[in-house]
Amino acid sequence: MRGRARTWRKRSVLPGFGLSLGFTIAYLGLVVLVPLAALVIKSAGLGAAEFWRLASDPRTLAALRLSFGAALVAASINAVFGALIAWVLVRYRFFGRRFLDAVIDLPFALPTAVAGIALTSLYAPNGWVGQFLQPLGLKVAYAPAGIVVALTFVSLPFVVRTVEPVLGEIDRELEEVAATLGATRRQTIFKVIVPALVPALLTGFALALARAVGEYGSVIFIAGNIPYVSEIAPLLIVIRLEEFDYAGATAVAAVMLAIAFVMLFVINLLQAWSRRRFGYGS
């Protein structure tokens, strides 16, 4: 083993691997692993019966169902329309393209509270958009639909920025070859282009989902925050902390962590399978 390690070190052309690896592990440990481990240890200290009682509380279940359900819907919407936006930005040259490209990144830079206030003013019953939806019986602000709108807004750039470079790498000769072999436009899109984009789409979907699940600032203004109706899990954690109910906050956070980890793990497995199946990296 020692001889193999020496041989491997001699073959490396980049110096400082040991130092950089140690710094990486220490940094990830302090920033990511230690806080998550503290949450797990704190929740384990509650005991199984107490943890189950707190986690299965109807208000907690309603908040978790709304948070993950709205995040799934928002990520799915962005997986479709984010890919369409990336397609337009990569494949076409038009006036204002650079401006449109810059607008995509606004949710990254805009404070989430500002985004929440802006969306609420737009979709409130007397807002610019809400005043037209209200007569149709469509209520967006102060309802679960408003949460989906806010989560879609904040998670859009993750899909666009993930799909865009992969789409640019796809050789257009493949499409021309498919056309010369008699493939229709529909067959070219769904049998040549879409399979190549699947790994990147799954990556963008996972990032958008993770961003949406933990979103707080942009949601609290537009949601209405009505228990059992439009109350998200991150807000419930804050409410438990303000009530000095640290055990309840810990239980909700631990359940969120477990569900998010399982979902991201499954998505990563699908992404690895699709990369092996279709051959394009994300």
Side-chain angles (χ1 to χ4, degrees), residues 93-161:
R93 296 293 179 269
F94 54 91
F95 177 77
R97 176 179 166 275
R98 291 184 181 276
F99 174 77
L100 183 62
D101 191 50
V103 168
I104 299 299
D105 293 329
L106 271 182
F108 278 147
L110 195 66
T112 55
V114 175
I117 294 172
L119 292 173
T120 305
S121 63
L122 274 178
Y123 289 98
N126 59 347
W128 289 355
V129 179
Q131 62 179 327
F132 299 106
L133 299 177
Q134 184 73 11
L136 301 175
L138 301 175
K139 185 178 182 181
V140 177
Y142 316 123
I147 299 174
V148 174
V149 171
L151 298 183
T152 304
F153 174 82
V154 299
S155 61
L156 173 64
F158 291 94
V159 176
V160 177
R161 294 310 182 207

Side-chain angles (χ1 to χ4, degrees), residues 258-281:
I259 296 175
F261 179 80
V262 171
M263 292 175 67
L264 293 178
F265 182 71
V266 172
I267 292 172
N268 282 336
L269 289 179
L270 290 173
Q271 182 190 356
W273 171 82
S274 61
R275 190 183 296 118
R276 290 194 301 271
R277 173 68 175 80
F278 301 114
Y280 279 83

Side-chain angles (χ1 to χ4, degrees), residues 198-212:
V198 168
L201 274 175
L202 285 173
T203 301
F205 178 83
L207 293 173
L209 178 65
R211 175 71 175 85

